[in-house]
């Protein structure tokens, strides 16, 4: 029973609590998180690591007035528990329940719905500048991780922050882990000081300073400078941050609640950018999470029984299938290597790494740099495969354009988490990749429908002399699909679709994993006496023109299906091709994600159903098409639909 | 007469030349660049600044074997002159002539066609890794500017480079200028050392070291370390780079040819990442370019007569019109402020800065950080306007998605250089913005057709409570357009198009500046007896459904016109709307940029004509539509066009 936590009505109440009560609260919070994540899944170890830090922050600051920005969005569970979402926390990541990331829709304590990392400092600088311009003394705090601070956008933020002559606190939460062990020279630099002997020094010295120094103004700045000078002789990581313009404090123990509160009070009103370097232990408070923090970063629902932990597996994923397929092609082609941007487990490349350790590269939370490295390696004749989630590849969009597409370099992008992602919600849906890649000349876009097609897609991509991008969802692979007459899955041929099921009443053109739903829809329609053709498009670029002609020239209903936005995606590509070929399109309907709203977090199955992309939804769309009158002149007299006449939902004009 | 330059057949010949001859060559190169840029336009001051450096690089390295990567693509004129493009240099930036950026199509000495800055280090790391894996000892050199090294992608590259145990040379060309004065804490840090007293020290010390030290292997590394130790006492900027894992050398005089050659020889074979910090003077060798380097960064053709310089102006640009329109709205709304990412002159914000210096912010070559700062400021209630070229906004794509669109923050993006950009070519065409922005829920996309519409678009954008993006080209504004019956340009209404010219024979739906070409096309068609309706769409999102219905339901030809890719752009949005409304689309034709090739550099007018977007091309498209038989059943029997049946041009399967 969580007595302190459940009776906490506002973070302001923390200030009336004793240190012992705060520590008890920390224990309750840990238990609550372990319990709920154990049922619902979510991000475990990183949240356990910031319990004391989050409590201390809410103790010292009033974040209804002050501003708290999360760089690592999935670390905000403790924050949510303290700010009114404890009661609903059992519904974490479930439809209608709290999101797994900060959510402006839920609470005024949440300012930006973020999940991509690296952006909090620059955003905080913007807020600080905006507040200054409006003569507000509200304090701004950005909580950043050691792995995300090496992201390029974070560096741009640091570069700007150093110019401020105002309060701005950047807390560097250093657990040396990020998602996987932190990468790069900067990480090595930070790592040197994790076991710094001056750890205890800072505690003593800051206490001495605290007792002597007023908390605002020049004196505080000077006192802090003094503190810094005093520890300069020891090996200290302050240089880079100081040279960028920060006052640097630390490193300090991020689990020492009392000390954290002291330090935060010390720096709270300093009118100068301050970087507070804090060491925490990822997974603190749950032995299994500490022992294997990578595995428990974002566990599917698991059970904890004493020391025994059981992860409930969910069948064979596209991720696992991709991992094996890549290992397979790499065996046959020594030029192949694999790159990730800090996501070896999520992309399945952890397995590749064990088989081909010297053909694996982790660029860290730096998608742009990773893509450019891949381009450079490709230029030397190698065949790099970049495994980056669809939504994270957005960070490298211009590098895909300039270093890859513009040069025509045959880098292969494998985008996991394409489409609706379930409980991670809008900040992670990969719903734009077809639209943002399609306009790049010499870019081939493919999507496998099942496990055998992943390997086939990779094999084709390797034959190309241009870049390509392969997409697949966070989901289980279906049973391998074979069309009547096929003894094996045919190889991919550039720009050629694949007929899965024939029929004359209507056609479903499906792109990617939703082929399975399309086939299921055809079964449902078959039971109603309709014979529906199902085509696996295989390519969103180039579109197979024969596929489009065959579908449309008979005047029968056609439905396109994609796990992607309806703006500029696969269905739009089909439509464009139809228009270019002069084919009628009045029988064409496109299914996909809406263009005017974000699909909230929940189960992926629920989200697909919401968008009409489940078998029932697809079948319904076909039925509607079949029931419509088959007369072009009639359709042109269709009155203006009210929905279309309204401007975008959710947009108001002042 | 350029005798040395014109007889130079290969950079290898440099090694046989005396120092005096090399200096003479440098002078000839400067004169050649000034002469050609004076006629053709292009980037002047930055190229003048790297004459000695480029000569020294080609003297010491053999870049057919070794690899040279340019971070600042427009600084490669000297390089081009030395590598076989002197003869054709008079055609610089002209159709068919050398590009203003490195070009793999022109020469094996050019590796990446780049123009966006910040990417060379990460790409170089990739090449270095790829070469190592293939046991090649080819050396890799990346030439980076002080302004671009603060870009986030550059930082990601530095972070990765520090891990290499192989040769990699990063040359930091520091002129403290970038495009405009370099921004940020890092710049201030670098600036401290520009007048370092140890400037002369390094020269003396390196000479001493050079005379003692073998040029490869551990001894060289140690010698360099020694050098570094020796100058540690002086104020020196080595720390950040060393802490990232580099051996740091410098700063040194980038115009001292002899010394540069010495230093490059010293570090050429060091099997460790080295950062060579070089000071140069932007515009060196042309007084007017030194005095006003910002003005002469990229001048339109100008005339040089002794000391008198005349810039040939080209009429009132969209840029200038935007600048005044923004000043106007800012006068009326104190919440408005303007941000640029290192492009105050190119965006016109230099003028805004003089009027509202405290409402102007330059984030440096850091589009991501700049957009995030804008988001942060917007969150505090301000109304930031981000003026970032369409192609450069690609760098901030994910920040536009996450910090802006996902939060529904009403940041306003003003994208200059939208569409075909003329002589800067494919690395700068802004041909993807509609496609990459359209799928973001709550994003409004607008395009003004002339000067009055810029202000009107801004005024609407300010009324919105969601983000918006306004696009306009690098071109002259047309005469203000008024439709019959209009006494003034009507205000923008969300999702409402504007009829410019009426007619019953066909309809042209134009988005943005090409409205002028559409009207001119209508005039041409009028002379042939056709009355063509011209609609200014004003919005690519949300599309005006009435506009689409009116155009298509009569069964008359419709042509959409956009300065943008045909994949997922304005025309596709019209097509999608038509399909959603059940309207026939067989009479619809879309004009825009091709999806399977890049449009080469040349004149913007020529490029528009090549894409059929000039008045004649648009009129032809309408004529073709008028001459086609008006029977849907006929059109559905149109045989498979050979072009559509072919996979993408330029893509081969091995």
């Amino acid at each position: 029973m969580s007595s302190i936590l459940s009776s906490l009505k506002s973070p302001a109440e923390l200030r009336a609590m004793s240190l012992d009560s705060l520590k008890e609260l920390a224990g309750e919070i840990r238990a609550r998180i372990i319990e709920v994540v154990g049922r619902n899944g979510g991000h475990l170890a990183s949240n356990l690591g910031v319990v004391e830090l989050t409590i201390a922050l809410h103790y010292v600051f009033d974040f209804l007035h002050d501003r708290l920005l999360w760089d690592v969005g999935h670390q905000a569970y403790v924050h949510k528990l303290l700010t009114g979402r404890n009661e609903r926390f059992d519904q974490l990541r479930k439809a209608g329940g709290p999101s797994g990331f900060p959510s402006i829709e839920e609470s005024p304590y949440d300012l930006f719905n973020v999940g991509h990392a690296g952006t909090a400092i620059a955003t905080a600088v913007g807020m600080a500048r905006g507040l200054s311009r409006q003569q507000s003394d509200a304090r701004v705090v950005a909580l950043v991780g050691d792995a995300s601070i090496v992201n390029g956008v974070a560096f741009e933020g640091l570069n700007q922050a150093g110019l401020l002559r105002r309060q701005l606190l950047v807390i560097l939460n250093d657990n040396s882990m990020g998602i996987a062990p932190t990468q790069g020279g900067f990480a090595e630099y930070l790592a040197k000081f994790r076991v710094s002997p001056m750890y205890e020094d800072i505690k003593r010295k800051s206490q001495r300073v605290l007792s002597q120094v007023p908390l605002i103004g020049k004196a505080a700045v000077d006192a802090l400078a003094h503190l810094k000078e005093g520890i300069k002789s020891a090996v200290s990581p302050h240089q880079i941050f100081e040279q960028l313009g920060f006052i640097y404090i630390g490193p300090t123990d991020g689990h020492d609640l009392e000390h954290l509160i002291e330090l935060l009070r010390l720096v709270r009103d300093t009118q100068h950018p301050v970087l507070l370097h804090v060491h925490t232990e990822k997974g603190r408070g749950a032995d299994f999470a500490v022992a294997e923090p990578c595995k428990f970063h974002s566990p599917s629902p698991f059970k904890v029984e004493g020391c025994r932990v059981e992860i409930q597996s969910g069948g064979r994923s596209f991720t696992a299938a991709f991992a094996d397929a890549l290992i397979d092609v790499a065996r046959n082609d020594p030029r192949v290597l694999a790159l990730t941007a800090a996501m070896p487990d999520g992309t399945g490349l952890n397995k590749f790494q064990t088989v081909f350790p010297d053909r694996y590269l982790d660029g860290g939370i730096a998608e742009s740099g990773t893509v450019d490295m891949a381009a450079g390696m490709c230029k030397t004749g190698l065949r790099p495969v970049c495994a980056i989630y669809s939504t994270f590849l957005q960070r490298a969009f211009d590098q895909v354009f300039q270093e890859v597409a513009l040069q025509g370099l045959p880098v292969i992008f494998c985008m996991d988490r394409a489409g609706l992602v379930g409980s991670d919600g809008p900040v992670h849906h990969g719903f734009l990749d077809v639209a943002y890649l399609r306009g790049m000349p010499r870019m081939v876009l493919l999507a496998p429908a099942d496990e055998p097609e992943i390997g086939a897609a990779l094999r084709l991509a390797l034959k190309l002399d241009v870049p390509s991008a392969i997409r697949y969802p966070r989901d289980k692979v279906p049973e391998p699909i074979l069309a009547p007459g096929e003894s094996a899955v045919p190889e991919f041929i550039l720009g050629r679709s694949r007929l899965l099921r024939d029929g004359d009443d209507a056609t479903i053109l499906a792109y990617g994993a939703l082929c399975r739903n399309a086939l299921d829809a055809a079964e449902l329609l078959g039971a109603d006496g309709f014979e529906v053709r199902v085509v696996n498009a295989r390519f969103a670029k180039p579109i197979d023109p024969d596929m489009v002609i065959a579908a449309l020239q008979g005047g029968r209903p056609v439905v396109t299906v994609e796990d992607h936005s309806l703006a500029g995606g696969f269905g739009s590509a089909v439509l464009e091709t139809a228009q270019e070929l002069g084919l009628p399109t009045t029988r064409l309907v496109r299914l996909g994600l809406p263009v005017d709203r974000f699909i909230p977090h929940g189960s992926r199955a629920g989200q697909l159903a919401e968008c009409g992309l489940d078998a029932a939804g697809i079948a319904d769309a076909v039925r509607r098409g079949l029931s419509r009158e088959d007369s072009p002149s009639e359709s042109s007299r269709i009155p203006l639909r009210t929905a279309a006449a309204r401007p975008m939902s959710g947009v108001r004009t002042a």
Side-chain angles (χ1 to χ4, degrees), chain A:
Chain A
M1 194 197 118
S2 314
S3 60
I4 301 183
L5 179 59
S6 50
S7 55
L8 191 75
K9 292 193 180 21
S10 148
E13 293 174 15
L14 293 172
R15 284 168 220 128
M17 289 165 58
S18 69
L19 186 60
D20 284 343
S21 297
L22 291 175
K23 289 178 179 176
E24 196 179 327
L25 172 64
E28 290 179 10
I29 286 175
R30 282 197 163 85
R32 188 96 169 95
I33 290 175
I34 292 173
E35 176 214 351
V36 172
V37 172
R39 277 200 315 271
N40 300 6
H43 295 83
L44 180 62
S46 47
N47 281 290
L48 294 180
V50 295
V51 175
E52 285 78 18
L53 186 52
T54 309
I55 291 174
L57 278 168
H58 278 283
Y59 186 100
V60 173
F61 295 87
D62 168 13
F63 286 118
L64 279 183
H65 175 68
D66 301 320
R67 309 288 198 265
L68 177 60
L69 294 175
W70 296 88
D71 193 83
V72 183
H74 62 242
Q75 273 186 0
Y77 292 10
V78 183
H79 163 80
K80 291 200 173 199
L81 286 172
L82 295 174
T83 53
R85 283 156 282 184
N86 176 45
E87 263 192 60
R88 302 167 57 216
F89 200 68
D90 297 294
Q91 296 305 307
L92 178 74
R93 294 165 57 87
K94 289 192 178 310
S99 149
F101 302 88
S103 173
I104 55 184
E105 294 84 6
E106 288 170 16
S107 166
Y109 283 95
D110 297 1
L111 302 179
F112 282 84
N113 300 2
V114 290
H116 282 193
T119 60
I121 301 172
T123 313
V125 171
M127 294 206 74
R129 290 186 183 276
L131 290 166
S132 285
R133 286 183 48 85
Q134 297 169 86
Q135 285 80 48
S136 163
D137 64 352
R139 309 162 188 101
V140 181
V141 181
L143 180 43
V144 188
D146 59 286
S148 49
I149 205 167
V150 303
N151 179 269
V153 186
F155 180 76
E156 289 179 5
L158 287 173
N159 193 38
Q160 277 296 321
L163 298 174
L164 291 174
R165 293 299 168 259
R166 179 211 197 270
Q167 181 279 337
L168 177 76
L169 174 61
V170 174
I171 300 177
L172 171 54
N173 172 28
D174 183 357
N175 58 27
S176 294
M177 280 299 298
I179 292 172
T182 301
Q183 301 293 329
F186 196 68
E188 296 195 345
Y189 160 74
L190 289 179
K192 274 185 265 189
F193 311 106
R194 195 169 174 75
V195 290
S196 164
M198 47 71 64
Y199 213 67
E200 284 309 308
D201 281 348
I202 180 96
K203 239 171 137 164
R204 284 196 310 271
K205 290 198 173 86
S206 61
Q207 280 164 352
R208 192 159 26 88
V209 167
L210 273 166
S211 64
Q212 299 167 3
V213 166
L215 295 178
I216 50 173
K218 191 176 186 306
V221 175
D222 289 347
L224 290 167
H226 235 287
L227 184 64
K228 168 179 68 68
E229 287 302 311
I231 57 178
K232 206 183 202 170
S233 53
V235 165
S236 157
H238 61 85
Q239 290 121 328
I240 289 186
F241 298 112
E242 287 183 346
Q243 282 157 2
L244 288 172
F246 280 81
I247 290 172
Y248 170 91
I249 309 280
T252 190
D253 180 356
H255 297 292
D256 183 333
L257 202 40
E258 186 174 20
H259 188 58
L260 279 174
I261 290 172
E262 283 183 304
L263 276 179
L264 287 173
R265 274 179 167 159
L266 177 69
V267 300
R268 183 180 56 191
D269 291 299
T270 306
Q271 296 305 308
H272 192 283
V274 172
L275 187 128
L276 175 62
H277 187 179
V278 166
H279 277 152
T280 62
E281 189 180 32
K282 200 172 181 182
R284 172 78 152 236
D287 297 336
F288 53 86
V290 170
E292 286 186 279
C294 292
K295 196 164 185 186
F296 290 95
H297 165 71
S298 180
S300 281
F302 67 96
K303 291 184 298 198
V304 181
E305 294 166 53
C307 293
R308 190 163 60 86
V309 173
E310 202 178 296
I311 297 274
Q312 295 159 330
S313 77
R316 186 160 171 80
S317 63
F318 271 91
T319 308
F322 160 71
D324 286 339
L326 186 62
I327 287 167
D328 200 53
V329 296
R331 283 215 174 82
N332 293 322
D333 189 338
R335 303 168 304 164
V336 169
L337 58 145
L339 291 90
T340 174
M343 304 289 291
D345 290 7
T347 57
L349 288 192
N350 52 348
K351 188 171 182 185
F352 186 94
Q353 182 184 19
T354 61
V355 181
F356 297 111
D358 59 329
R359 291 163 70 175
Y360 163 87
L361 206 69
D362 183 344
I365 302 184
E367 290 80 5
S368 297
T370 302
V371 168
D372 275 354
M373 278 206 297
M377 299 179 94
C378 196
K379 189 71 180 177
T380 70
L382 298 174
R383 294 306 303 271
V385 175
C386 283
I388 299 177
Y389 291 1
S390 161
T391 192
F392 292 151
L393 194 62
Q394 291 172 186
R395 309 183 67 130
F397 176 54
D398 195 51
Q399 289 70 48
V400 175
F401 166 72
Q402 185 180 251
E403 273 64 60
V404 178
L406 189 55
Q407 325 305 328
L409 286 170
V411 176
I412 301 169
F413 297 98
C414 289
M415 302 178 295
D416 201 328
R417 273 59 168 176
L420 295 157
V421 297
S423 36
D424 278 340
V427 79
H428 280 91
H429 293 322
F431 68 109
L432 295 173
D433 53 275
V434 177
Y436 69 72
L437 293 172
R438 209 157 64 78
M440 296 191 197
R442 300 191 283 216
M443 170 70 70
V444 173
L445 304 179
L446 322 82
D450 58 15
E451 174 156 12
E453 287 214 331
I454 299 177
L458 278 169
R459 286 188 294 276
L460 174 72
L462 275 165
K463 290 202 196 112
L464 298 173
D465 65 345
V466 292
S468 59
I470 303 171
R471 76 190 310 258
Y472 43 91
R474 180 182 197 185
D475 212 336
K476 288 178 264 187
V477 290
E479 285 300 307
I481 298 164
L482 280 180
E486 283 179 349
S487 52
V489 173
E491 285 301 279
F492 270 58
I493 297 171
L494 183 63
R496 190 80 63 85
S497 60
R498 176 183 166 212
L499 183 68
L500 296 182
R501 185 190 212 274
D502 215 342
D504 292 328
D505 294 325
T507 304
I508 303 170
L509 304 178
Y511 184 55
L514 295 186
C515 282
R516 181 66 257 166
N517 291 10
L519 284 167
D520 292 344
E523 289 291 318
L524 293 172
L525 292 157
D528 290 349
F530 297 113
E531 285 314 311
V532 174
R533 172 184 303 158
V534 178
V535 182
N536 173 359
R538 289 187 150 185
F539 295 87
K541 182 176 188 179
I543 289 282
D544 180 355
D546 290 331
M547 169 185 81
V548 180
I549 292 169
L552 285 170
Q553 75 177 353
R556 305 305 305 155
V558 178
V559 174
T560 66
V561 174
E562 65 193 293
D563 198 351
H564 185 276
S565 171
L566 283 168
F570 163 70
S572 299
V574 168
L575 197 52
E576 289 170 10
T577 304
Q579 172 261 306
E580 285 160 10
L581 293 172
L583 293 163
T585 58
T586 47
R587 306 312 305 278
L588 179 72
V589 164
R590 299 174 302 119
L591 301 179
L593 272 63
V595 305
D596 55 359
R597 64 188 183 86
F598 294 96
I599 303 297
H601 63 278
S603 73
R604 174 170 153 83
Q607 292 165 341
L608 286 169
E610 182 179 339
C611 297
L613 293 169
D614 57 342
I618 297 170
D620 279 347
V622 176
R623 281 196 194 91
R624 284 194 299 273
L626 288 165
S627 69
R628 213 172 282 141
E629 286 185 10
D630 191 18
S631 161
S633 53
E634 281 295 325
S635 57
S636 64
R637 287 199 290 272
I638 287 178
L640 192 61
R641 279 188 232 163
T642 323
R646 270 206 317 268
M648 299 189 318
S649 63
V651 176
R652 292 192 310 279
T653 313

